Amino acid sequence: EREREREREKGFSLRMDLIGNFFERNSGGKGGSSSNTGLLEPLLVMTTSMLVLAALPVLISWWVMRREKKSVEEKQVKEGGETAENGKRAPSHYGNLTKEKLKQFTGKDTSKPLLVGIKGKIYDVTPGMEFYGPEGPYNLFTGKDASRALAKMSFKPEDLAGGIDDLSQSEKDILYDWEQKFKMKYKYVGDIVD
């Protein structure tokens, strides 16, 4: 073990010598009068610091999102939901529903869950009862594929039933954001079928 330690120290020492030689060459040597004297080292430190500071928010956001996703998945497994082998949520006992059958899941029948469709996927939004329940502001999205209305951020009846083929790019981006929110927050329970 001591031999390994000496090898590591030699390697570290060699690297430090190489770095020192690099700085000496690029700063005009020790006591040199080059115009670069003393500028390279602070520039390198400043650049490295800026890169670390720029990457920090990205890393923190990634870490927080990863933790949230894991906690949602753990909660679903505890509640009886399971994940498929590919990492996507496996459908629960509701399974695939036609648009007609989906209309039964609006909260009018309290024995049934609240379901919302987005891009052909069905999510159980019952945990968001205050928003999607019969008295909630988003109840009109339940029992249907609400993709167009969510993308347009619209409560108009024609948007509650329309398709998504003619959406603008910004509306598609908004729909994508809604889809990600539903995937993170609510349980996927099946698909809308014809």
Side-chain angles (χ1 to χ4, degrees), residues 9-25:
E9 286 177 13
K10 284 181 186 176
F12 178 76
S13 177
L14 180 61
R15 286 190 295 268
M16 293 308 292
D17 287 343
L18 288 172
I19 292 171
N21 290 339
F22 173 79
F23 281 119
E24 283 180 25
R25 270 186 270 131

Side-chain angles (χ1 to χ4, degrees), residues 4 8 75 94 97 117 133 154 164 176-177:
R4 281 189 197 162
R8 284 186 202 143
K75 183 179 174 186
Y94 304 120
L97 299 172
S154 168
I164 59 171
Y176 175 80
D177 290 342

Side-chain angles (χ1 to χ4, degrees), residues 4 8 10 13 22 43-44 54 62 64 66 81 84 96 103 107 118 123 129 134 136 147 151 158 169-170 178 190:
R4 281 189 197 162
R8 284 186 202 143
K10 284 181 186 176
S13 177
F22 173 79
L43 184 63
L44 184 62
W62 170 79
V64 168
R66 196 177 112 227
N96 298 336
K103 290 179 183 178
I118 294 186
Y123 296 91
M129 179 71 79
S147 300
E158 62 268 18
Q169 186 58 49
S170 65
W178 274 104

